Amino acid sequence: MKIGKIITINDISVEIILSSNDIKIGDILEVEDNNKYVFEVVEINNISATCISLYSTRGLQKGSIVIKKNDGLEVEYSDKILGRVFDSYGDVIDDLPFESEKKVKVSHNTVSLKEVKVENDPLWTGIKVIDFFAPLQKGFKMGLLGGAGVGKTVLIKELIHNIYASSNSNAVFVGAGERSREGRELYDDMKSSNLLDKMTMVYGQMGDNPVSRSKSVATGLRMAEYLRDEKGQDVLIFIDNIYRFIQAKAEISTDLKELLIENGYPANMAGEVSDIEERINSTDKGSITSFQAIYIPADDLTDDAVQTVMSYMDGQIVLDRKIAELGLYPAINVFKSTSKLIDKDKIGERHFSLVERVLANLTRYEELEEIIAVLGIEELSEEDKLVFYRSRKLRNYFSQPMFVAEAFTNIKGVFVDIEDVLNDVENILNDAWVSDFPYKIDIYNVGHGNADYIRGSKHRILYDIGIKVRIFNIENGLREYKDIKIIRIISKDYNLLIMKDYLPIIGEIEGSVDIKNDEVNLSFKDIKAFYMNSNNEFNLMIKEG
């Protein structure tokens, strides 16, 4: 049906003189005999309508006849969304054959208050620092805050990997205004991990126009609603980056010559964010849990856009550049990261009290760091030294090797159960991992505590993991290879012993070895070092006697 003619073209903004009144805001129009140019109606006057172009307006001419295409943007609403990649307008972009089964409008009413389900089960991620300090619940909205280059996208990819690997729930990933390269990497990673068929991807990337970047979130959310409402699933939606959604809206407002507020944000920013966030909820049919990466401009948490988004969050995970500079990943600031689930009645007395004790130790650690920077560590009392080293163990313990970073770090990723985390933290707080050399144990970038360090048990460590041992006898050149369950190291001098879980420390050990009943007893006159490789192979070089 003919609607009118184009009279003004201004980048993405197009004005049409109307010849028909059968038009409303949200309708999709296109140029007659040329479906390359598609528009959405955003404003209607008496005789004209203002539209925004979904694609480039290059080559578009004034006087072109415009016809009505349909009543709004439509997306696929069936199981065929799984394993596929869509653009912001619901079109497949992975160059594979696709036959639509059912389509619905992108716009959708929010869940009514009567339908919202508040109480849900926890959702464990296998990432120590998140599960301990900022645990999740099904249906939560979690903000992932951080400046450029501190690991937001990597953490999102790790969450996708861990939660899919531990459950059968499908998910939706929305790339809003982020790099196309990262989108391609995620697609390849999910495909190689055989997880692609469990998720849907929607991209409105950095190189697209602002309309595409702003529509990607609503399109992805409509697909997540299908999985929740029609399939009854607990769905995960990852939005990277919700701040770019607001930026895109600001660009559109600028083109439409609308009034902007401070920092160039659109005047209706709160309403635009509300339309998205209020659709992310749990019902009796299922739940939608969201992780939303939030770019922080100039690392300013008080930015208006950041605060508007955060007002809808059930918790926040804050990535800190200072922590990233220490090489501690995920680089999460545990003082600024919060969750509504941190409550005695929700996570239990033990978990809650451990969080309080850890935060108290880490607070004291920061105070002691300032003293050490001025006076040096030797000026601390023995009690403060113990607190300092204990707290540093805690800080290092919450670093963790990631599955999605294995290709870069050559360290195997780990999924850590919350009970293991609570036990390990309790051991560290109770100095159970101290023995006679409290300052020599390094638990940086490991999973849960494989080593059982017994306080007060002199000259003994039990290293209780399933490993393989190669014995090289330097004198006669013979070597023995055996699977070992327990290694018992005995030494008179522990000051020279360095232990690191899964991290290579190459060196020689002089001493004797005795293998009995799947145990290795090592006695040393002098310990230099030992190492364990990525295959959990423990290599020893010894001399007879």
Side-chain angles (χ1 to χ4, degrees), residues 145-162:
L145 292 81
V150 293
K152 295 186 300 299
T153 302
V154 172
L155 187 54
I156 280 183
K157 289 161 99 174
E158 185 72 4
L159 286 165
I160 290 174
H161 179 281
N162 285 8

Side-chain angles (χ1 to χ4, degrees), residues 313-336:
M313 298 293 109
D314 294 298
Q316 64 182 35
I317 298 169
V318 180
L319 298 174
D320 194 312
R321 196 175 307 281
K322 291 181 179 178
I323 297 173
E325 288 170 354
L326 294 173
L328 299 171
Y329 292 98
I332 294 175
N333 186 318
V334 298
F335 297 107
K336 294 179 181 178

Side-chain angles (χ1 to χ4, degrees), residues 40-56:
E40 181 185 28
V41 180
V42 295
E43 184 180 336
I44 301 175
N45 300 317
N46 291 331
I47 60 171
S48 67
T50 302
C51 306
I52 51 176
S53 177
L54 305 189
Y55 306 103
S56 172

Side-chain angles (χ1 to χ4, degrees), residues 164-190:
Y164 292 161
S166 63
S167 70
N168 292 321
S169 294
N170 297 123
V172 177
F173 180 88
V174 178
E178 286 298 315
R179 299 167 185 84
S180 300
R181 170 185 56 80
E182 292 176 345
R184 179 69 200 200
E185 286 177 354
L186 178 63
Y187 176 84
D188 291 338
D189 288 345
M190 294 299 104

Side-chain angles (χ1 to χ4, degrees), residues 2 47 88 195 209 289 291 419 524 533:
K2 183 178 177 181
I47 60 171
S88 301
L195 295 172
N209 75 0
T289 305
F291 291 90
E419 283 302 315
F524 302 107
N533 66 20

